[in-house]
Amino acid sequence: MPPVVELHGVTKRFGAIEVLGGVDLTLDAGRVHALAGENGAGKSTLVKMLGGIHQPDAGQILKDGVPIKMLGAADSQRQGIAVVHQHPALFPDLSVAENVFIGRQPRRMGRIDWPGMISRANELLLRLGVALDVLTPVKALGVAERQAIEIARALSINARVLVLDEPTSALSRREVDRLFELVGRLKVEGVAILFITHFIDEILGFSDDVTVLRSGRHVITAPVEEFTPELIVRAMIGTRLEAFFPKQQAKIGAPVIGVRGLSGAGFVEDVNFEVCAGEILGFFGLVGAGRSEVASMLFGIVRPDEGEIEIAGASVRPHSPRDAMRLGISLVPEDRHNQGLVLPFTNRANETLPVLRRLCGHFGLMRRDEEKKIATDYSARMRVVATGIEQVTGTLSGGNQQKVLLAKWLIPGPRLLILDQPTRGIDVGAKSEIHRVISQLATEGLSIIMISDDAEELMGMADRILVFRNGRIAMESRRGAFDREALLLAAAHAPRSSDAQPPRAA
């Protein structure tokens, strides 16, 4: 049988810029094909081509061996191609059933067939093994459930190709496993699946074939068994994996901040640590271990119940983020979209938000020239790829948005910078750039707390790592003695197999 969908020599230009050049891709029935590449590699353009949003300037798209043209999203759906985006495009006030059949509601005698629509929605969710009340408003559901609704919508159009565009970036590990249970069911039914992700472990764990794009060009396609993490990274960015963590040697000075007996946020208890000048201190642990809660207490978002915070030997108690900023603490939050950036604002406006009061002159008038100079300098320092500081931040790639967010919280001139998941949801090239900036800041004497779920990332960047578990520090490790297995076991509260006691005889 021919592949369900093939792209042969597909090229796409926007003006003088060629974003895809002669790309080939084959999607076979019952197989998961991972598409990897940095932001700007052409993945999103290729997805929009399959979704009918863009048409190729050269090359062909074939379905079942026959060339096709898709002049819009409706054409794509008629060809049996469904796209599930990173952020599900659903109507929150409508029910599950209404969202599954939006724009295609079954009708009877000229009216919507409500019993038929509800019954059909139940059948689709049952087919996926998802237990949901189809009359529930979508706004009451989580991200994983919303993605299941999008997949049910794809089944409702009898999709033969399912495109999953960054579906796991906002999901917990358990939700990711659940998503791939659904994908497994669709594989058995013969659906061809294109899976776009930044997470290399998911590429290796869930896909059958892998294609890597770089700068709009096809680099390699092969069965997943032929890849290792290093080979995928080298194909994506053209460098060795060691370049992923460009750690520079920094002179570690005296303690800048000390925490004694910090407790609060409902479960954080008796946390003690210091951060020195030029030191990168890693916070590792499972979701809900207390890492972000400690960061919130340091930044004045959450007031601790007990404990002491010392900065330069003086006891302080930040009562608000403004207090924390005055004390020289900045926090780059985990969720850049909802907590970090105002996406409709320009890069200039986002970067200078924390220092607006400082930039106001007489009569409250903004010193625009100074504002522009600061934004221009920090955008250059962060290597933000944009048309300029007046580009709307929401139009940037995820990696460049993260660079704008980092610039925003460096501009106040902190002595302690807290980074909560600074590289989540961005590609490997952008991660390397963020790591370069973090390492450079440490050499300049800045104290850094880096929170991450990725043990390898912390082992590559940190000077010390604290492992959190159930609101407490469960382990401390120093560079040179890092042990990935020990970190993971400490986070999960499991003894090493060599340390485990043998079972007693009955």
Side-chain angles (χ1 to χ4, degrees):
M1 292 179 61
V4 181
V5 166
E6 298 170 88
L7 276 66
H8 284 176
V10 166
T11 297
K12 184 64 184 177
R13 300 180 184 86
F14 294 105
I17 300 173
E18 185 178 82
V19 294
L20 284 178
V23 171
D24 296 332
L25 182 70
T26 299
L27 302 179
D28 292 302
R31 292 182 71 83
V32 176
H33 196 126
L35 183 64
E38 298 183 72
N39 286 337
K43 303 187 305 295
S44 295
T45 302
L46 189 148
V47 167
K48 289 177 181 177
M49 226 173 259
L50 288 172
I53 307 301
H54 297 323
Q55 289 73 46
D57 296 319
Q60 287 185 314
I61 299 177
L62 291 80
K63 183 179 173 220
D64 298 324
V66 179
I68 59 172
K69 287 187 179 293
M70 295 179 289
L71 302 178
D75 272 359
S76 175
Q77 289 190 7
R78 278 192 287 271
Q79 295 291 346
I81 301 172
V83 180
V84 175
H85 296 283
Q86 178 180 355
H87 303 289
L90 302 174
F91 294 88
D93 292 317
L94 298 184
S95 69
V96 171
E98 288 172 299
N99 271 282
V100 169
F101 290 98
I102 194 74
R104 299 174 293 102
Q105 298 91 336
R107 294 187 172 271
R108 185 176 182 183
M109 299 178 66
R111 297 185 178 184
I112 294 176
D113 180 8
W114 289 98
M117 185 168 69
I118 292 168
S119 175
R120 179 65 176 141
N122 274 318
E123 289 174 9
L124 291 169
L125 292 173
L126 182 64
R127 182 174 160 191
L128 291 171
V130 176
L132 275 180
D133 182 350
V134 298
L135 297 179
T136 302
V138 164
K139 63 185 176 185
L141 304 177
V143 176
E145 293 164 318
R146 295 185 187 204
Q147 287 185 333
I149 295 168
E150 289 249 48
I151 294 173
R153 182 191 291 174
L155 293 181
S156 74
I157 65 167
N158 296 316
R160 295 184 58 206
V161 175
L162 180 65
V163 180
L164 298 172
D165 189 4
E166 298 286 356
T168 64
S169 60
L171 302 183
S172 68
R173 182 74 255 175
R174 184 175 180 180
E175 290 171 330
V176 170
D177 291 340
R178 179 62 180 149
L179 173 64
F180 281 99
E181 283 181 22
L182 304 185
V183 171
R185 290 172 181 259
L186 298 178
K187 279 181 62 177
V188 171
E189 295 183 11
V191 176
I193 297 158
L194 179 63
F195 174 45
I196 297 96
T197 183
H198 290 309
F199 298 110
I200 293 173
D201 60 331
E202 293 178 359
I203 292 173
L204 296 174
F206 297 118
S207 61
D208 300 300
D209 307 291
V210 182
T211 289
V212 179
L213 301 181
R214 184 169 72 237
S215 301
R217 298 281 175 174
H218 177 272
V219 177
I220 186 173
T221 294
V224 70
E225 294 82 9
E226 297 183 16
F227 286 95
T228 64
E230 183 174 24
L231 286 175
I232 292 176
V233 171
R234 290 185 66 181
M236 290 170 69
I237 65 177
T239 59
R240 295 186 62 82
L241 190 57
E242 289 77 14
F244 209 23
F245 304 112
K247 172 75 171 170
Q248 299 179 49
Q249 191 66 36
K251 181 181 178 180
I252 297 178
V256 170
I257 186 168
V259 173
R260 305 282 181 272
L262 195 68
S263 302
F267 70 102
V268 173
E269 189 173 351
D270 195 27
V271 169
N272 302 274
F273 62 88
E274 290 181 336
V275 192
C276 298
E279 181 180 30
I280 301 175
L281 177 63
F283 281 9
F284 181 68
L286 304 178
V287 174
R291 304 161 305 165
S292 296
E293 287 74 13
V294 170
S296 295
M297 284 189 261
L298 294 178
F299 196 57
I301 298 171
V302 175
R303 294 192 180 185
D305 299 328
E306 296 179 10
E308 187 176 17
I309 301 170
E310 289 185 357
I311 294 182
S315 181
V316 299
R317 181 63 69 93
H319 294 292
S320 67
R322 184 183 296 178
D323 271 357
M325 289 169 60
R326 180 175 50 81
L327 293 166
I329 301 173
S330 283
L331 169 65
V332 176
E334 176 181 5
D335 187 344
R336 65 176 174 267
H337 287 163
N338 295 317
Q339 298 173 319
L341 298 168
V342 185
L343 295 179
F345 280 15
T346 63
N347 298 341
R348 169 187 53 77
N350 268 299
E351 290 179 1
T352 57
L353 266 176
V355 294
L356 286 180
R357 290 175 181 271
R358 195 172 83 195
L359 291 171
C360 285
H362 297 297
F363 309 111
L365 296 177
M366 183 72 67
R367 296 194 293 271
R368 290 295 180 192
D369 289 344
E370 185 178 348
E371 181 193 26
K372 290 177 181 178
K373 183 179 185 306
I374 290 172
T376 300
D377 289 348
Y378 273 85
S379 289
R381 185 179 180 186
M382 297 299 108
R383 298 184 187 177
V384 177
V385 179
T387 57
I389 60 172
E390 299 303 327
Q391 182 171 347
V392 174
T393 304
T395 64
L396 299 179
S397 68
N400 284 299
Q401 288 179 10
Q402 193 70 9
K403 293 177 188 177
V404 170
L405 181 58
L406 188 54
K408 171 183 175 179
W409 288 109
L410 286 174
I411 286 172
R415 62 177 99 187
L416 172 66
L417 179 65
I418 305 171
L419 302 164
D420 197 350
Q421 306 286 359
T423 62
R424 172 175 284 178
I426 62 177
D427 65 69
V428 291
K431 283 183 180 181
S432 183
E433 282 287 297
I434 297 291
H435 292 152
R436 177 194 61 79
V437 171
I438 293 170
S439 187
Q440 178 62 37
L441 292 171
T443 66
E444 295 169 8
L446 185 63
S447 300
I448 298 170
I449 293 175
M450 185 174 179
I451 303 170
S452 178
D453 293 333
D454 187 342
E456 187 176 7
E457 178 176 54
L458 291 181
M459 290 170 64
M461 294 300 298
D463 299 294
R464 280 189 299 138
I465 298 175
L466 302 181
V467 181
F468 282 76
R469 185 180 69 241
N470 298 330
R472 290 175 172 267
I473 295 175
M475 175 185 174
E476 178 177 348
S477 183
R478 294 182 178 273
R479 192 167 192 85
F482 291 156
D483 182 326
R484 188 171 187 270
E485 182 184 0
L487 295 175
L488 294 170
L489 290 173
H493 198 185
R496 284 179 180 272
S497 56
S498 59
D499 298 334
Q501 296 296 317
R504 294 183 178 180

